[in-house]
Amino acid sequence: MTPTLLATSDLHVGRRENRAIVEGNQSGIITSATLMANARASEAAIDLAKTQTDLRTGCHVVLIDGVPLAESLPSLTNGVPRFRNSLKQFAIAAVRKKLDAEEIQREAEAQIRKIQARGITLTHVDSHKHTHMFPHVLRPVLRAARACSIRAVRNPFEPMRCWPAGMVFATPGLWLRSAGVMAFQMFAAEFRRALHEEGMASTDGTIGIAVTGMLDQKKLLRMLEAVPDGTWELVCHPGYSDADLRAAGTRLTASREIELSVLTSVETREALLRHQIELISYAEL
């Protein structure tokens, strides 16, 4: 058995970032993208996605850092017109089961259906900042996806066996981020159980979450060398550092141009061939 890999990026940050994702699809290894239904550049991103027949598209469900589409979501908004801004606060509420499952499902379904109403065939769902990793959030998100005839979801867990030996401790700042990624593994077993019970498809896991904002050619080549057999999703964030990107409030600015060059490089293509890694998309799951 040889590894299969699908590479996904977020198609909603800004116009030039969206164009970078298209470049990564046409000239590189990006096979999938996800759309926010309620982001600043969502309409332009949806229009662009409709023209890219080779780019499979999912819904990037937003339950934090944004404005909801549905009305009356007190547990998700604390009574204000916006979601929480803090992932820590969201996580505490999710673990303590203080978030209303009906509200989560209703909001997720509203976001999915808004994109579908624009003529986009969605192949999967994932979530902003991977909030669907929490079991109390996962189940209503899966139910919303099924209600909208979507049968695949991102597996947001990055196991240690996907990391090249020595890379974590050799990279300043990466060991601390990796420790955080590993801490969320406590939810992985429940994730697999929920997928089985809800009849949803996914990958064996992700690669690239720990190195978000630090991905370069050397790291990607080492990751491709280390990726185990199975089906894995490479989470990536290509783009261009410009005013639109800085206005979006993301910490990922200069790193996006580095990622774009890596995702479209000859070295990356040669590594896929050398390690017999097949590129797929969510449509093939």
Side-chain angles (χ1 to χ4, degrees):
M1 183 178 178
T2 57
T4 54
L5 184 73
L6 55 93
T8 307
S9 187
D10 304 335
L11 189 67
H12 50 248
V13 179
R15 291 181 182 274
R16 293 193 71 204
E17 283 62 52
N18 293 342
R19 289 304 313 174
I21 293 168
V22 172
E23 290 178 34
N25 172 244
Q26 294 177 344
S27 304
I29 68 170
I30 294 177
T31 58
S32 296
T34 51
L35 288 164
M36 281 184 181
N38 53 351
R40 181 172 50 87
S42 290
E43 292 302 316
I46 290 171
D47 289 339
L48 185 61
K50 291 168 72 172
T51 68
Q52 305 304 311
T53 57
D54 292 332
L55 185 66
R56 303 302 183 181
T57 307
C59 178
H60 197 63
V61 174
V62 178
L63 300 173
I64 186 173
D65 290 338
V67 178
L69 296 182
E71 297 180 355
S72 185
L73 304 173
S75 76
L76 293 176
T77 63
N78 286 331
V80 300
R82 294 183 60 86
F83 295 124
R84 293 172 175 81
N85 291 326
S86 167
L87 179 58
K88 180 180 178 181
Q89 292 177 4
F90 184 95
I92 291 172
V95 170
R96 292 179 177 175
K97 299 183 179 180
K98 298 295 186 180
L99 304 178
D100 186 271
E102 187 276 334
E103 291 179 21
I104 296 171
Q105 182 174 347
R106 183 156 46 88
E107 175 62 22
E109 190 168 334
Q111 293 180 25
I112 293 168
R113 292 196 186 280
K114 179 179 177 180
I115 297 173
Q116 289 176 326
R118 290 291 308 276
I120 299 290
T121 299
L122 295 175
T123 57
H124 63 286
V125 296
D126 58 25
S127 64
H128 185 48
K129 295 189 177 179
H130 300 118
T131 53
H132 72 290
M133 78 173 76
F134 301 106
H136 188 63
V137 178
L138 175 64
R139 295 280 184 165
V141 169
L142 295 184
R143 290 194 291 269
R146 289 185 58 197
C148 299
S149 301
I150 299 173
R151 294 288 180 168
V153 62
R154 171 180 289 170
N155 180 338
F157 300 102
E158 184 172 16
M160 187 180 295
R161 69 181 184 275
C162 290
W163 297 341
M167 187 181 79
V168 172
F169 291 102
T171 306
L174 183 53
W175 68 270
L176 184 60
R177 181 170 177 83
S178 300
V181 170
M182 286 304 301
F184 289 120
Q185 288 287 335
M186 70 177 72
F187 303 123
E190 175 57 29
F191 178 86
R192 292 190 294 269
R193 184 180 305 113
L195 256 62
H196 176 73
E197 294 175 359
E198 299 291 341
M200 298 288 285
S202 190
T203 64
D204 292 302
T206 55
I207 62 174
I209 294 178
V211 297
T212 297
M214 306 180 222
L215 186 64
D216 56 22
Q217 187 70 73
K218 181 179 179 180
K219 291 186 184 68
L220 181 57
L221 292 180
R222 293 195 65 191
M223 289 163 61
L224 294 178
E225 182 179 2
V227 66
D229 289 343
T231 300
W232 303 88
E233 179 177 10
L234 171 65
V235 178
C236 54
H237 303 82
Y240 295 98
S241 181
D242 60 9
D244 282 348
L245 183 61
R246 290 188 290 273
T250 176
R251 69 181 178 87
L252 306 178
T253 52
S255 65
R256 290 181 181 267
E257 295 190 15
I258 297 173
E259 289 202 22
L260 178 59
S261 67
V262 168
L263 295 166
T264 56
S265 73
V266 173
E267 291 89 343
T268 297
R269 284 286 188 182
E270 290 176 344
L272 293 178
L273 292 173
R274 184 165 60 251
H275 301 301
Q276 297 182 311
I277 298 174
E278 177 188 1
L279 287 177
I280 64 169
S281 73
Y282 268 103
E284 282 78 64
L285 286 184

